[in-house]
């Protein structure tokens, strides 16, 4: 800025900071380096404008704004906080802002961004065994800042609709990182369903503005977290189904936002690449490879920065996996060689089938009456029980359930996918005969590589291993990595 240039107005500074964050979250150039350079240049320009504003002598045009120093401290801290890494200078400015103005204009933004600053510091320390406890303390400090912001949300003039939505979205994200317990006022430990709290915060953001796609997206992440992290509805597949529906809603809203002004910014209708990436991860877990492939391609199309990781997932988790499994199904894993071996396996499976059918004949009279009633009810969906020989395990991963190459009583080879098995206890082993109640055979894969699959979501209710039920202690949620680029 030239010395003769007039200092910018306070409104211009605020708009410049808003533009800085908008550019970070909505600009996806081919080169990540060019984006970083652009953000750094814009940040440098804003910092020089803030310095010019602060050093300019008072004039009749100088704004007589209450808590001017607090607002400038907030704008300074916000500008320095644009990176994902912790910045102590930014934290200092933000602490000054909330100290000077704990409950007036800009205070919700100040408390929110200060919470994000503590959050970043906590994350930077949580990866080390020596500092993770201290890191957790900073995450708790972030939670306290967000609570302070929530308390001030209803004070007139303290927060815009945009401020409130962003606060609840961030609070939802933070809750997913906190441990499932906290200290009460008397110092005792109290259990907390952090996944449930995350969903509740995201719902508050949605309720403020049902047309905001970002809030729906954060809600989708909350539902996914609920399924995978051991919350109240952990392992309930309806939670994942709900997540997909909410992601679809977010995508639709983002797409229809094209050429509309939202929060005083022109939105181009670009869906967040994180949405496609996370939804693809859920589709992979549900073994919907066609939908996963589509979402991964969209991720790469929107943000080239994802290209290497996305291409790796496409080749390894979709194309490579489906090709590998089809080859194993065709060859029966190379385990069943020759007609003699095939007959022996079929005989073992059919022996288990006969034993199961004999046991079923001994059901109580009440059970027989229920069976007869079900047969007379034309609205009841017919179910099928299958008995399968485990030929080999197909590996475990965070993206897919436990999968096994199996052979049925007719000698046909397919894949059995069992969800939520923890690996604790006996589990499923090579050579076992597994009985699946209410089995539904489906075709999965991608064009050119499709195979038969039996999908088991509730193993404690529908699976017997060598005639024995799966025990409750053998069930545990699977961990899953989701992506969120940026805190604000």
């Amino acid at each position: 800025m030239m010395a003769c240039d007039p200092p910018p107005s306070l409104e211009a500074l605020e708009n410049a900071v808003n533009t800085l964050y908008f550019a970070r979250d909505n600009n996806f150039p081919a080169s990540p380096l060019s984006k970083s350079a652009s953000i750094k240049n814009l940040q440098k320009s804003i910092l020089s404008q803030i310095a010019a504003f602060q050093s300019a002598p008072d004039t009749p045009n100088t704004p007589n704004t209450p808590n001017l120093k607090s607002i400038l401290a907030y704008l300074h801290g916000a500008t320095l906080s644009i990176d994902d890494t912790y910045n102590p200078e930014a934290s200092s400015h933000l602490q000054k802002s909330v100290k000077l103005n704990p409950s007036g204009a800009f205070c919700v933004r100040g408390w929110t961004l200060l919470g994000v600053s503590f959050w970043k510091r906590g994350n930077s320390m949580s990866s080390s065994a020596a500092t993770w406890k201290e890191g957790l303390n900073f995450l708790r400090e972030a939670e306290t800042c967000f609570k302070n912001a929530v308390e001030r949300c209803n004070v007139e003039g303290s927060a815009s609709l945009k401020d409130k939505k962003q606060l609840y979205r961030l609070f939802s994200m933070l809750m997913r990182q906190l441990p499932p317990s906290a200290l009460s006022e008397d110092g005792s430990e109290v259990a907390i369903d952090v996944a449930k709290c995350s969903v509740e915060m995201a719902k508050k953001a949605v309720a403020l503005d049902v047309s905001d796609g970002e809030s729906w997206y954060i809600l989708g992440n909350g539902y996914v977290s609920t399924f995978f992290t051991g919350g109240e509805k952990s392992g309930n597949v309806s939670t994942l189904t709900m997540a997909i529906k909410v992601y679809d809603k977010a995508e639709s809203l983002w797409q229809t936002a094209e050429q509309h002004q939202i929060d005083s910014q022109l939105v181009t209708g670009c869906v967040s690449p994180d949405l496609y990436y996370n939804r693809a991860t859920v589709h992979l877990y549900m073994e919907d490879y066609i939908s996963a492939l589509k979402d991964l391609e969209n991720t790469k199309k929107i943000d080239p920065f994802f290209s290497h990781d996305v291409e790796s997932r496409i080749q390894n988790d979709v194309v490579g996996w489906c090709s590998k499994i089809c080859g194993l199904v065709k060859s029966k894993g190379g385990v069943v060689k020759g007609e003699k071996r095939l007959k022996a396996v079929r005989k073992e499976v059919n022996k288990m089938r006969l034993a199961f059918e004999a046991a079923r004949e001994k059901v109580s009279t009440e059970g027989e009456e229920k069976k007869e009633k079900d047969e007379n009810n034309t609205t009841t969906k017919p179910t099928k029980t299958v008995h399968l020989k485990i030929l080999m395990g197909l590996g475990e991963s965070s993206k897919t359930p436990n999968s096994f190459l199996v052979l049925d009583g007719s000698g046909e080879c397919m894949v059995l996918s069992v969800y939520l098995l923890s690996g604790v206890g006996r589990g499923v082993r090579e050579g076992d005969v597994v009985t699946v109640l209410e089995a539904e055979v489906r075709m999965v894969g991608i064009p050119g590589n499709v195979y038969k699959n039996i999908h088991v979501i509730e193993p404690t209710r529908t699976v017997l291993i060598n005639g024995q039920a799966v025990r409750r202690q053998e069930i545990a949620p699977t961990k899953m990595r989701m992506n969120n680029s940026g805190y604000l």
Side-chain angles (χ1 to χ4, degrees):
M1 182 176 291
M2 300 296 291
C4 59
D5 291 342
S9 66
L10 194 63
E11 182 181 4
L13 286 176
E14 182 186 351
N15 288 338
V17 172
N18 290 339
T19 300
L20 177 66
Y21 280 87
F22 185 79
R24 185 196 67 179
D25 297 334
N26 296 275
N27 179 30
F28 304 108
S31 169
L33 293 178
S34 66
K35 177 176 180 176
S36 178
S38 174
I39 294 297
K40 287 295 182 185
N41 288 336
L42 188 53
Q43 181 191 49
K44 184 177 179 180
S45 172
I46 295 171
L47 292 174
S48 67
Q49 291 178 59
I50 292 174
F53 187 97
Q54 291 173 324
S55 62
D58 289 345
T59 69
N61 295 324
T62 300
N64 184 22
T65 304
N67 300 308
L68 179 59
K69 289 184 179 180
S70 171
I71 294 173
L72 286 173
Y74 163 76
L75 294 173
H76 201 159
T79 303
L80 292 171
S81 294
I82 192 66
D83 296 326
D84 284 346
T85 54
Y86 170 69
N87 185 313
E89 185 182 356
S91 183
S92 177
H93 283 291
L94 293 167
Q95 289 183 66
K96 178 181 177 181
S97 174
V98 297
K99 183 177 180 180
L100 291 172
N101 180 27
S103 59
F106 280 79
C107 76
V108 170
R109 294 190 201 179
W111 281 113
T112 301
L113 203 50
L114 180 59
V116 170
S117 182
F118 285 131
W119 185 357
K120 292 176 184 178
R121 190 171 186 185
N123 278 347
S124 69
M125 305 175 78
S126 61
S127 59
S128 169
T131 60
W132 74 268
K133 286 188 177 180
E134 190 177 356
L136 177 58
N137 289 335
F138 281 111
L139 294 183
R140 292 296 188 196
E141 289 286 346
E143 182 185 16
T144 299
C145 288
F146 287 169
K147 287 180 178 178
N148 287 336
V150 168
E151 288 177 3
R152 290 158 175 80
C153 267
N154 295 323
V155 177
E156 185 176 355
S158 65
S160 66
L161 176 62
K162 177 183 176 182
D163 297 336
K164 295 176 183 178
K165 290 188 295 182
Q166 190 70 313
L167 167 61
Y168 285 121
R169 289 193 292 251
L170 287 166
F171 213 156
S172 174
M173 293 166 62
L174 175 66
M175 290 306 297
R176 298 198 298 270
Q177 282 191 239
L178 294 177
S181 64
L183 294 179
S184 64
E185 293 181 359
D186 62 3
S188 60
E189 196 169 85
V190 179
I192 298 175
D193 189 340
V194 289
K196 181 179 179 181
C197 291
S198 173
V199 169
E200 289 174 351
M201 288 297 175
K203 284 182 176 179
K204 289 181 179 181
V206 170
L208 287 169
D209 181 3
V210 295
S211 65
D212 191 322
E214 185 175 358
S215 297
W216 284 97
Y217 161 65
I218 297 298
L219 178 58
N221 286 349
Y223 280 125
V224 173
S225 179
T226 299
F227 180 88
F228 285 99
T229 57
E232 182 181 317
K233 295 187 177 180
S234 173
N236 187 337
V237 73
S238 65
T239 308
L240 278 188
T241 303
M242 179 62 72
I244 293 293
K245 290 180 179 178
V246 171
Y247 280 149
D248 292 347
K249 178 71 172 179
E251 178 187 28
S252 173
L253 288 169
W254 261 322
Q255 288 174 335
T256 56
E258 189 168 7
Q259 301 303 317
H260 287 267
Q261 292 285 336
I262 294 182
D263 297 329
S264 300
Q265 298 284 358
L266 179 63
V267 176
T268 61
C270 177
V271 180
S272 167
D274 291 341
L275 181 149
Y276 286 126
Y277 190 89
N278 291 346
R279 191 171 64 184
T281 303
V282 178
H283 282 315
L284 280 173
Y285 186 78
M286 299 300 292
E287 298 178 293
D288 183 353
Y289 295 104
I290 293 177
S291 296
L293 182 61
K294 181 180 178 181
D295 277 345
L296 289 171
E297 291 288 0
N298 280 329
T299 303
K300 189 169 61 172
K301 187 184 302 181
I302 294 172
D303 189 355
F305 180 73
F306 274 99
S307 291
H308 179 74
D309 183 35
V310 168
E311 191 59 38
S312 174
R313 297 195 75 186
I314 289 174
Q315 295 304 321
N316 296 328
D317 301 339
V318 181
V319 177
W321 173 265
C322 292
S323 175
K324 169 189 170 183
I325 299 306
C326 282
L328 288 171
V329 169
K330 185 176 181 180
S331 67
K332 294 182 174 60
V335 176
V336 183
K337 297 179 179 179
E339 193 64 28
K340 184 177 180 180
R341 173 60 178 155
L342 178 61
K343 285 183 178 179
V345 171
R346 290 180 60 190
K347 182 178 179 181
E348 186 178 359
V349 172
N350 287 321
K351 180 179 178 181
M352 178 62 71
R353 176 181 61 81
L354 292 172
F356 176 82
E357 290 176 352
R360 190 168 56 179
E361 289 297 322
K362 296 180 180 180
V363 295
S364 64
T365 304
E366 180 182 350
E368 290 290 351
E369 290 175 353
K370 181 179 183 299
K371 178 181 176 183
E372 184 179 350
K373 179 180 178 181
D374 289 341
E375 289 173 349
N376 293 330
N377 183 357
T378 57
T379 63
T380 300
K381 183 178 179 179
T383 60
K384 178 182 179 182
T385 297
V386 296
H387 306 273
L388 307 163
K389 174 76 170 181
I390 303 294
L391 300 181
M392 61 189 298
L394 298 175
E396 300 178 26
S397 78
S398 61
K399 299 175 289 296
T400 58
N402 291 282
S403 297
F404 305 91
L405 196 68
V406 298
L407 204 71
D408 68 8
S410 69
E412 185 175 12
C413 191
M414 62 189 73
V415 172
L416 170 68
S417 298
V418 186
Y419 289 74
L420 303 176
L421 279 181
S422 65
V424 177
R426 188 188 184 284
V428 178
R429 299 177 184 177
E430 183 178 322
D432 287 342
V433 176
V434 173
T435 299
V436 181
L437 313 177
E438 304 177 11
E440 186 176 343
V441 181
R442 57 180 191 153
M443 303 302 294
V444 302
I446 56 176
N449 284 304
V450 180
Y451 56 91
K452 284 187 177 182
N453 171 268
I454 295 178
H455 192 81
V456 176
I457 293 173
E458 300 179 85
T460 57
R461 190 178 67 84
T462 60
V463 170
L464 301 175
I465 303 172
N466 299 323
Q468 301 298 314
V470 175
R471 295 173 298 172
R472 177 62 60 182
Q473 58 264 37
E474 296 181 67
I475 303 299
T478 303
K479 300 300 179 184
M480 174 184 176
R481 176 172 65 93
M482 293 192 298
N483 195 70
N484 279 105
S485 55
Y487 295 86
L488 275 177

